[in-house]
Amino acid sequence: MAQHFSLAACDVVGFDLDHTLCRYNLPESALLIYNSFAQFLVKEKGYDKELLTVTPEDWDFCCKGLALDLEDGNFIKLADNGTVLRASHGTKMMPPEALAAAYGRKEWKHFMSDTGMACRSGKYYFYDNYFDLPGALLCARVVDSLTKQNNGQKTFDFWKDIVAGIQHNYKMSAFKENCGIYFPEIKRDPGRYLHTCPESVKKWLQQLKNAGKILLLITSSHSDYCRLLCEYILGNDFTDLFDIVITNALKPGFFSHLPSQRPFWTLEKDEEQEALPSLDKPGWYSQGNAVHLYELLKKMTGRNEPKVVYFGDSMHSDIFPARHYSNWETVLILEELRGDRDGKPEESEPLEKKGKYEGPKAKPLNTLSKKWGSFFIDSVSGLENTEDSLVYTWSCKRISTYSTIAIPSLEAIAELPLDYKFSRFCSSNSKTAGYYPNPPLILSNNETLTTK
């Protein structure tokens, strides 16, 4: 494979929507998502009212890359070899002795090779994006509450109630019916939760289009919510930018399922109408699969193997499946790179918008968790904290394995020429090669770290 990656060499440029094209005001959106679940659990399922009160300090628990063991209520952070680096029971971190007793230095019981381990199963759940993270805090607090109520309860059965909360707030008809808490609030005050697309990104999208690239939007959000987001962040003429829009894509199944399992559907007034045996022309569709999409892209480009790059923020839903099943180039949007250099998250909003929403602020979800440490590397518990005891996290390994490059935002590359040559992750043994514009400081400072 070539050492460098360039957008100029791609025929098709695809985008996820949430947290990729559309950036959220994370402290506000996180609280909204948390409340959408907490109020459901308290009002509909009889959980403790304490769940409704969340303090700014509570948000430090949130960290991408954690797994929740659904049986014992433990959250864990994995090393690249599958051993457990840190763990908590609910929000209470396990001291080194308890960690060693529970997990030792062996692989976590559910760990498999990268391709074998799902992010979602009946036994565990991985938290890998900003929609998920408020749920991690809520689930941890549910475990705290149940443990306290039931004198150290050892097994837990709350997940079915979390799933019911997802169904209540985020089902396909929720936006239209003004159901739950989330959609009515976003409709009421989108400016509180969404950042408009910077002019540089809008110009860049038009530049890609003018260069003859086919532009795709592939989102698991439903059609009506997608329309609201795009009109707010890009303007009412956003459909002129995209040749194909696919909503309710149900990723990662969009990439992994056979066409017979996941056909495309036509849409009329945001409602699914009829299933299609194949995809014959550009347009706006629902559900679908990457195989039929690729057949259409062959026709549109006149190439047997059109080169596709896909931008997304979720390793589970976007990056891993697009690379593993479709062999597309992948660009990971990793907001953890935004505030890494100075400890403060980068801001692109006008000054007059800051401080507009009263009350103490939660820490942005893209900043370092004191409880969980770095998203990228960590020390092996029980060893002296020397350079030799540091290892890559499972999340960091997946970034360098499945991403072509990783960037903090689209804005970071929008003013580069389309033929700019990015260093790929696979261009050398370096774990930092594919980060643009800079690798995380903690990785730069430990470049000699070897995989354990």
Side-chain angles (χ1 to χ4, degrees):
M1 191 177 271
Q3 187 174 357
H4 294 100
F5 163 74
S6 162
L7 285 169
C10 298
D11 305 296
V12 182
V13 185
F15 299 93
D16 175 42
L17 179 55
D18 296 288
H19 302 289
T20 299
L21 264 178
C22 177
R23 279 189 52 233
Y24 286 74
N25 178 4
L26 292 179
E28 294 291 342
S29 64
L31 188 57
L32 177 60
I33 294 165
Y34 179 93
N35 286 336
S36 74
F37 286 112
Q39 292 198 31
F40 177 83
L41 290 185
V42 172
K43 291 176 181 173
E44 304 297 326
K45 299 293 180 180
Y47 281 74
D48 194 316
K49 286 180 182 166
E50 282 185 8
L51 294 177
L52 298 175
T53 308
V54 59
T55 69
E57 294 74 36
D58 290 333
W59 292 100
D60 183 61
F61 184 82
C62 293
C63 176
K64 273 192 201 167
L66 303 183
L68 165 60
D69 188 314
L70 296 175
E71 186 181 34
D72 61 22
N74 288 352
F75 286 80
I76 62 164
K77 178 184 182 183
L78 288 173
D80 61 355
N81 64 1
T83 55
V84 178
L85 291 167
R86 302 191 192 200
S88 72
H89 181 69
T91 64
K92 310 291 186 291
M93 300 304 292
M94 287 189 187
E97 320 79 67
L99 185 70
Y103 297 105
R105 297 211 189 282
K106 57 186 187 294
E107 281 186 1
W108 180 49
K109 61 187 175 183
H110 298 303
F111 187 80
M112 292 180 265
S113 68
D114 278 343
T115 54
M117 189 157 61
C119 273
R120 288 159 201 185
S121 84
K123 297 185 171 156
Y124 57 86
Y125 189 95
F126 267 100
Y127 292 89
D128 94 324
N129 64 67
Y130 296 128
F131 267 143
D132 278 349
L133 288 188
L137 174 59
L138 179 65
C139 286
R141 297 185 75 209
V142 165
V143 170
D144 290 347
S145 174
L146 294 176
T147 303
K148 190 165 81 177
Q149 284 173 31
N150 298 304
N151 299 321
Q153 183 172 338
K154 293 285 190 287
T155 58
F156 298 86
D157 187 28
F158 61 85
W159 190 250
K160 63 183 186 305
D161 296 329
I162 298 292
V163 172
I166 295 171
Q167 177 61 13
H168 174 69
N169 280 285
Y170 302 99
K171 64 186 177 184
M172 198 167 182
S173 59
F175 185 95
K176 185 179 176 183
E177 294 169 4
N178 246 19
C179 174
I181 288 170
Y182 183 81
F183 291 125
E185 180 59 20
I186 295 276
K187 285 188 205 176
R188 187 187 69 78
D189 190 3
R192 180 168 190 157
Y193 303 101
L194 309 174
H195 292 320
T196 53
C197 227
E199 281 306 312
S200 62
V201 174
K202 291 184 191 175
K203 286 178 184 167
W204 177 70
L205 292 171
Q206 193 59 57
Q207 185 187 5
L208 288 166
K209 191 128 180 95
N210 294 345
K213 312 298 179 192
I214 291 170
L215 265 57
L216 311 175
L217 183 58
I218 308 174
T219 174
S220 291
S221 287
H222 297 306
S223 178
D224 42 16
Y225 185 53
C226 170
R227 197 180 300 280
L228 177 143
L229 294 183
C230 288
E231 286 179 355
Y232 183 82
I233 67 167
L234 291 167
N236 293 341
D237 57 352
F238 76 91
T239 50
D240 296 344
L241 283 170
F242 299 102
D243 298 276
I244 300 169
V245 176
I246 300 163
T247 55
N248 193 25
L250 303 168
K251 297 175 290 181
F254 179 85
F255 297 101
S256 62
H257 281 53
L258 298 170
S260 58
Q261 298 172 293
R262 194 63 67 73
F264 281 94
W265 287 74
T266 59
L267 282 164
E268 194 173 308
K269 293 181 179 170
D270 298 317
E271 300 280 341
E272 292 181 354
Q273 300 297 310
E274 63 173 313
L276 300 172
S278 62
L279 198 59
D280 298 324
K281 60 183 180 184
W284 188 310
Y285 300 96
S286 187
Q287 297 195 46
N289 61 87
V291 174
H292 279 169
L293 172 61
Y294 198 65
E295 289 304 313
L296 175 59
L297 296 175
K298 287 181 188 178
K299 283 187 206 165
M300 292 174 70
T301 59
R303 295 178 184 269
N304 287 331
E305 293 185 358
K307 188 169 181 178
V308 185
V309 59
Y310 187 62
F311 289 75
D313 70 296
S314 168
M315 180 57 66
H316 167 66
S317 300
D318 301 319
I319 303 303
F320 168 73
R323 169 61 59 84
H324 180 69
Y325 297 106
S326 298
N327 201 30
W328 290 359
E329 302 278 15
T330 53
V331 179
L332 176 65
I333 304 293
L334 190 63
E335 285 204 32
E336 281 70 15
L337 296 174
R338 298 181 75 81
D340 174 75
R341 300 260 138 192
D342 57 7
K344 295 174 191 160
E346 178 188 321
E347 285 288 352
S348 61
E349 285 297 294
L351 281 171
E352 61 268 19
K353 211 170 162 184
K354 294 180 188 176
K356 183 175 169 185
Y357 303 109
E358 56 295 325
K361 278 286 167 280
K363 84 171 184 75
L365 299 186
N366 58 5
T367 53
L368 184 74
S369 161
K370 294 189 181 80
K371 281 193 171 183
W372 292 103
S374 169
F375 176 69
F376 302 98
I377 61 175
D378 209 342
S379 55
V380 177
S381 175
L383 298 182
E384 285 302 309
N385 192 7
T386 63
E387 204 166 84
D388 292 338
S389 71
L390 290 172
V391 294
Y392 292 108
T393 62
W394 182 68
S395 299
C396 185
K397 182 185 178 186
R398 282 168 71 82
I399 291 170
S400 58
T401 304
Y402 296 110
S403 313
T404 304
I405 61 171
I407 60 177
S409 63
L410 295 178
E411 205 176 351
I413 65 168
E415 292 180 349
L416 297 174
L418 296 186
D419 60 359
Y420 182 89
K421 289 183 168 55
F422 296 92
S423 294
R424 294 171 172 272
F425 273 113
C426 57
S427 61
S428 67
N429 290 327
S430 167
K431 283 279 196 299
T432 62
Y435 291 105
Y436 180 89
N438 303 109
L441 262 181
I442 196 162
L443 288 187
S444 301
N445 295 341
N446 293 280
E447 266 247 62
T448 56
L449 193 60
T450 55
T451 303
K452 299 280 175 187

